[in-house]
Amino acid sequence: VFVGGFADAHAPTASVASLVDAGRLPVSAMYLPLLLALGSNTASKCALAWGTGGHRFAAYIIPAQVLILLLMGTAACFQQQL
């Protein structure tokens, strides 16, 4: 899931969702693989932003990407507590 997230976050996310739907993965265990896929996708986006646009472009992209990932992680934590 982590490696798959580097290129595309949708495929690993759909894979985890299908495992949950088939009953092979409990709902309570889906958050870590999802966050790993999204985290690796965020890392690749940040690296591409830095590599292609330089530090000025990356200064806009990286904080936004990190904020999105933190908010998704926070939502996952709250969801597990319900």
Side-chain angles (χ1 to χ4, degrees):
V1 172
F2 181 74
V3 175
F6 279 111
D8 179 25
H10 296 94
T13 302
S15 177
V16 170
S18 68
L19 289 173
V20 171
D21 187 49
R24 297 180 66 200
L25 183 68
V27 174
S28 62
M30 76 177 189
Y31 301 107
L32 182 60
L34 292 178
L35 289 175
L36 285 173
L38 295 171
S40 64
N41 188 260
T42 297
S44 66
K45 286 180 182 180
C46 293
L48 284 171
W50 188 280
T52 59
H55 66 84
R56 290 187 66 185
F57 180 65
Y60 288 106
I61 300 299
I62 292 174
Q65 290 296 314
V66 170
L67 178 63
I68 291 167
L69 187 61
L70 287 173
L71 290 173
M72 293 182 93
T74 302
C77 287
F78 281 124
Q79 185 70 24
Q80 280 191 328
Q81 291 179 2
L82 293 178

